[in-house]
Amino acid sequence: KVTDGVAHRIWILVFAWALAAGASFQLLILPVLLPDLHAGHGLMKGGDCVGFQQIAAALLEKMNESGWGPWELRPNGQATAGIAAAVYKLTGVTNPLVVLPLNAGLFALAAVELYLIFVRIVSRQWAWMGILPFVFFPSSLQVYGQLYKDVFSIAGILLILNALACLFLIDASRKRLPQILWRTVVGLALIWIVRPYMVEITLVAWWSGALLMFC
């Protein structure tokens, strides 16, 4: 229960940080401080996010003409664009800024799972220190502050790693099975959304780890 309370606080703090830092990145840092790197819509030049925004805008145009019928999860094979188009349609705003709460929520979930993995191995103080680089490293802005796949797959992988940690580092009693199962299912779903080709690889790794636990 103590761990659950800490996890909730971590999620709230990281979510608030990612939301504020991501908004600052899109609204201030790129267009005002780094205009040469700004591709418009708060996105950075040279990245896949620009292409995802173009795909999402094209799909949204079809949806505005014909309703939700043309929507697909992976237009041109890119789930990030499909999700962005759905959020744009729901909010009426064609700007990556409105996708930021979703990205921040998933990034906060990833931070919580990383903390829970660390806290099974080291003290809480070291676990806190362990997640600080993940949260505050400047490159993390690319993960939650732009239109990329990584925030989904990182959260999914950490959920699965924490499920495995429950098997390896804690007595895998029946009471622990629900959290192992939901983390595995949600983790696989997040990976499948953006990188379906990784699901089979992840399942093989998961079962390999589980078998090693019981050998």
Side-chain angles (χ1 to χ4, degrees):
K1 291 181 179 179
V2 173
T3 304
D4 289 344
V6 174
H8 292 155
R9 289 195 291 273
I10 291 173
W11 190 91
I12 292 171
L13 289 171
V14 176
F15 175 79
W17 163 258
L19 203 60
S24 298
F25 190 57
Q26 291 189 25
L27 297 175
L28 176 63
I29 296 175
L30 280 175
V32 178
L33 301 179
L34 300 171
D36 291 341
L37 297 178
H38 189 216
H41 302 289
L43 301 176
M44 182 179 288
K45 290 180 180 178
D48 293 337
C49 56
V50 178
F52 296 158
Q53 171 66 12
Q54 293 171 348
I55 296 170
L59 179 57
L60 179 64
E61 187 175 347
K62 295 178 183 178
M63 294 167 66
N64 287 335
E65 294 175 356
S66 308
W68 283 87
W71 183 82
E72 54 182 313
L73 176 61
R74 300 188 188 95
N76 293 0
Q78 306 299 338
T80 305
I83 293 168
V87 176
Y88 295 162
K89 180 66 175 176
L90 289 170
T91 60
V93 180
T94 312
N95 192 300
L97 191 67
V98 297
V99 185
L100 188 56
L102 172 61
N103 287 354
L106 289 172
F107 185 71
L109 173 62
V112 168
E113 294 303 303
L114 186 61
Y115 171 82
L116 293 176
I117 293 170
F118 283 152
V119 85
R120 302 185 198 284
I121 306 169
V122 297
S123 67
R124 292 179 192 169
Q125 291 79 6
W126 283 106
W128 271 101
M129 292 181 67
I131 68 171
L132 291 181
F134 174 76
V135 174
F136 294 112
F137 212 69
S139 60
S140 295
L141 271 171
Q142 294 264 20
V143 174
Y144 58 80
Q146 301 282 277
L147 292 179
Y148 280 117
K149 303 176 182 180
D150 299 319
V151 71
F152 287 86
S153 56
I154 289 172
I157 289 169
L158 287 172
L159 279 164
I160 291 170
L161 286 176
N162 195 17
L164 282 172
C166 290
L167 285 173
F168 275 105
L169 303 172
I170 300 177
D171 176 27
S173 64
R174 290 184 179 180
K175 291 181 180 180
R176 308 225 179 253
L177 288 178
Q179 63 172 296
I180 293 170
L181 289 175
W182 82 255
R183 282 188 164 90
T184 301
V185 170
V186 174
L188 287 173
L190 289 173
I191 294 170
W192 172 83
I193 288 172
V194 292
R195 292 188 168 100
Y197 56 86
M198 285 184 59
V199 171
E200 292 182 5
I201 299 172
T202 306
L203 278 173
V204 169
W206 195 99
W207 281 111
S208 299
L211 288 173
L212 284 173
M213 167 65 187
F214 294 108
C215 287

